[in-house]
Amino acid sequence: MEPLVEFFATAPLWGIGAGVVLVAFVLGFTGAPLWTWAIAGAVGLLGADVGLAVWIPYLALVALFNVPPLRRLLSGAVMRTMEALQFLPAISETEQTAIDAGTVWMDAELFSGKPDLKNTLDQPFSELTDKEQAFLEGPVEELCEMVDDWEIHQRGDLPEEAWAYLKEKGFFGMLIPESYGGLDFSAEARSAVVEKLGTRSLPLSISVMVPNSLGPAELLLHYGTEAQRDHYLPKLASGELLPAFALTEPNAGSDAGAMTSSGEVFRDEDGELKIRLNWEKRYISLAAIAGVLGLAFKLRDPENLLGKGEDLGITCALVPTDLDGVKLGRRHDPLGIAFYNCPTEGEDVVVPIDAIIGGKDGAGKGWGMLMDALSAGRGIMLPAQATGGVKYCTRVAGGHAAVREQFGLPIGKFEGIEEPLARMSGYSYMLEAARKYTNGAVDNGEKPSVVSAIAKYQFTELQRDAVNDAMDVLAGNGISRGPKNLMANAYTGVPISITVEGANILTRTMMIFGQGAIRCHPYALKEIEALMEGDVKAFDNAFWPHIGHVVRNGFRAFGLSLTRGRLASSPVNGPAAKYYRKLAWASASFAFWADVAMGTLGGGLKRKEKITGRFADVLSWMYMATATLARFEKEGRPKEQEPFLHWSLQFAFARIEEAFEGLYTNLKVPGLTWALRGIIAPWSRFNTIGSDPSDDLGHTIARAIQQKDGAREWLTKGVYTNTDPSDPIGQLEHAFELSREAYHVGQTIKDAVRSGDLPKKRPLALLDEALEKGIISQDDYDLVQRAEAAKAQYVKVDSFTLDEYRSSITLPGAPRGDGAPAPKTAGDGAPAATPSDPETA
């Protein structure tokens, strides 16, 4: 002890201070338990040889915080204060159900502030089985060849042979087990099928997506009775019955709890329990041609015949559409995209009690069923379609940029075109990574509700950006509608995916962070539940570790910011290592400021949607970066992927920086707002966690997708293509192939111009002279001629007579310009029902 006393007596004050700071930093950064702080403090006091006047209050504080019975006295006071201030948000029954749905996965790692980066890397990527791969290469390819998107647009429906083929090959039963006649495909396989179909026709992919997503089959598999599964699943798998799921109403969209559709339990004259249903639904995909509706409604039991009370809550039931009182047949027109999106009504429709999914036991459990099913399904189908869409934009725009020439050069050589090409390429790399990463989780038994919300939001938003970029590159070819147009329907249809399965504004501002802050946080939900139950012990067990969690993340955020992440370790070496360290830095900063926001705003945070939206952006982009890093490592660190890896991660961290900037300048923390505005925000701008990719990096990946083979092929794998010269995509592929083959001829002529062997003219104007002088061969000459003819055929756009034009813009069922009615069918070839009463619309 004497040496320690002597040291404190003789050491310079700055040395003692530095030592104290260093010890505090190490303890805080590592998240050392409270008792280690107590020991460190005691050592310091012993060294300083303080008297009892200091020791007594110090030991009292140590006892207060380290002896549970004493600490709970303080915890009880904190609880009472929080209750008085209504500090923590009260959770409604429907909110609680949504929070409880699904599982917590990598979102919890990112929310922790100290993610196990090796764990994020070790997650499985799903691979297709031989059977699934054969289906993708066989029936899926054949189906794509069978349809023409422009014809579907004109007819307002898929061709009859396509509907028949979908049923014959089992497309409607991809998630149904083989024992019921289904294909029993993995999430990865279902995703790959929808991805490819979407690159051929959006209505086609939606028609396949709906029966294989949230709907009767999914709910029956998880919650149905054995009798229900035996009756319905074989018919759903074969396509004998097409399903629809009816949830949304005129006044119940995001707020599903506001639904007015109702069911009332009664006993009929034969003594059997039945339900009388009344509903009005809209935006229901496939409803007009469905054989069975999965219906969500509020169930009442006035006579308590089920013994569960009068108001049972949201319930799901299976309603055959041929029952009296079911009204179908009308269609919405979702931006002219020709898939069945419809209203449906029911008036005094009577079904037996066992129509409830799960039978009597399922009464009142519908909301939980829906939330649990969505927790996985939301992350599969729309993200698959969006991934295919972005890859398609990349392939089409990259090919167009290589084929289309202006000022004697392919437009892809201009930097203004390179910029959107680079974005599309980077998005393609990221989305494929996140698609497989998310599917791997689902196939491994996870139902990651927050991650699924991230996937739905980020994928569809990036698809919107990519489609806009592709339209800019194609310009006139993109805006001229007709059979040859490769982008118009994709452009028109983008808002649909933004809107459905939880509108993106809601998903970003409420679901990703709002649900994540409660579900993924290691302590928040425990505190809320303890407060609601008045459980001091449970609150004590959560609150003080939460305080330690905040302290640790504060020190980690500070230390990682000072060192630009270098204090964190990476699970890998090589080009990706620095990004893992940045991910640790971002996670620590996110976790700390999320706790600051929750700690200062309390329950009011849920109303600060601009703030929660920015937190959601940080969490979302951390997830996208995590998936991208995993892809690079799992695919063996291919050298050709490195530029795409760097572009994607730099873009992701730039978005994280942008979100933090918005938080620092808008988050109001009592007593600390000045520090956020005056210190933290300027420091963050100086010491950025990320900035946008350089022009040189963008140039590299934009050029790569304009070259034959290589990145153009592996980056857009899963996109439907052909070389049929009568097919628009085939025309582009044919022109691209020939233009790449003929590229060397133009370079040879340019070299001859530079050497003075040919006059200064454009290469095409010098073809004959170059051939005469032997600068190029006859084969070269013929190759250029074929390439030019192919390019000329591709860049043509459609034109119409006035009557043809009127016909091309007619709604399904309305008179065409030539006086003939537009074809309208109900999927099986039968005329669609068209009630004349406008009140049924």
Side-chain angles (χ1 to χ4, degrees), residues 273-537:
L273 291 179
K274 294 188 177 178
I275 305 173
R276 182 176 291 106
L277 296 165
N278 288 276
W279 72 83
E280 181 183 0
K281 303 287 186 178
R282 68 181 184 189
Y283 309 146
I284 311 305
S285 296
L286 298 186
I289 58 173
V292 60
L293 283 179
L295 183 72
F297 58 94
K298 287 184 176 178
L299 181 62
R300 295 185 68 254
D301 184 5
E303 300 177 49
N304 197 23
L305 298 173
L306 298 179
K308 295 184 176 183
E310 182 175 339
D311 292 307
L312 300 178
I314 296 174
T315 300
C316 296
L318 299 172
V319 182
T321 58
D322 58 0
L323 294 179
D324 291 341
V326 177
K327 299 179 183 180
L328 300 176
R330 304 288 290 179
R331 291 181 66 173
H332 302 305
D333 176 25
L335 295 173
I337 302 301
F339 70 99
Y340 282 92
N341 187 257
C342 322
T344 174
E345 296 177 33
E347 184 176 350
D348 292 333
V349 178
V350 176
V351 297
I353 200 72
D354 60 8
I356 297 173
I357 295 177
K360 293 180 183 179
D361 290 341
K365 296 180 180 178
W367 186 242
M369 295 177 183
L370 296 177
M371 291 299 97
D372 201 49
L374 272 173
S375 64
R378 188 187 277 120
I380 301 173
M381 291 304 187
L382 283 173
Q385 191 177 77
T387 302
V390 173
K391 290 180 182 178
Y392 175 83
C393 290
T394 301
R395 190 173 185 96
V396 168
H400 180 88
V403 168
R404 177 70 165 156
E405 293 186 359
Q406 291 290 284
F407 308 104
L409 291 171
I411 63 171
K413 288 185 174 290
F414 295 99
E415 290 191 356
I417 299 295
E418 283 185 351
E419 194 172 1
L421 289 180
R423 276 196 297 269
M424 286 182 272
S425 303
Y427 292 174
S428 293
Y429 188 75
M430 277 191 289
L431 291 190
E432 178 65 5
R435 183 186 73 85
K436 292 184 72 68
Y437 197 63
T438 307
N439 288 340
V442 175
D443 283 330
N444 202 40
E446 298 286 351
K447 292 184 177 181
S449 54
V450 174
V451 163
S452 291
I454 289 172
K456 191 274 174 178
Y457 170 73
Q458 283 288 8
F459 283 54
T460 55
E461 288 294 337
L462 293 180
Q463 181 189 22
R464 173 155 56 184
D465 289 350
V467 169
N468 283 334
D469 278 336
M471 288 292 286
D472 287 350
V473 173
L474 267 67
N477 282 72
I479 66 169
S480 301
R481 294 195 70 105
K484 288 174 63 65
N485 191 300
L486 293 172
M487 286 304 307
N489 284 346
Y491 179 80
T492 306
V494 157
I496 296 172
S497 59
I498 298 292
T499 301
V500 298
E501 287 194 13
N504 277 9
I505 291 176
L506 166 78
T507 303
R508 173 179 178 259
T509 58
M510 293 181 64
M511 293 176 63
I512 295 174
F513 182 73
Q515 188 173 352
I518 296 175
R519 186 70 192 279
C520 303
H521 194 286
Y523 304 107
L525 182 57
K526 296 175 184 176
E527 290 168 334
I528 293 172
E529 291 175 341
L531 195 61
M532 292 174 69
E533 295 170 7
D535 189 334
V536 175
K537 183 177 179 180

Side-chain angles (χ1 to χ4, degrees), residues 801-829:
T801 66
L802 184 57
D803 282 346
E804 289 170 338
Y805 176 71
R806 287 171 174 166
S807 172
S808 74
I809 62 173
T810 303
L811 291 173
R816 293 164 62 103
D818 58 7
K824 54 183 188 294
T825 63
D828 56 1

Side-chain angles (χ1 to χ4, degrees), residues 30-34 82 88-89 91 99 104 108 111-114 515-532 537-553 591 595 598:
T30 58
L34 194 59
M82 286 185 169
L88 292 180
I91 301 177
I99 289 168
V104 176
F111 227 103
S112 71
K114 191 180 180 183
Q515 188 173 352
I518 296 175
R519 186 70 192 279
C520 303
H521 194 286
Y523 304 107
L525 182 57
K526 296 175 184 176
E527 290 168 334
I528 293 172
E529 291 175 341
L531 195 61
M532 292 174 69
K537 183 177 179 180
F539 182 82
D540 178 80
N541 289 338
F543 181 75
W544 297 108
H546 187 171
I547 297 298
H549 174 80
V550 175
V551 171
R552 184 202 70 185
N553 284 328
D595 269 316
M598 289 190 287

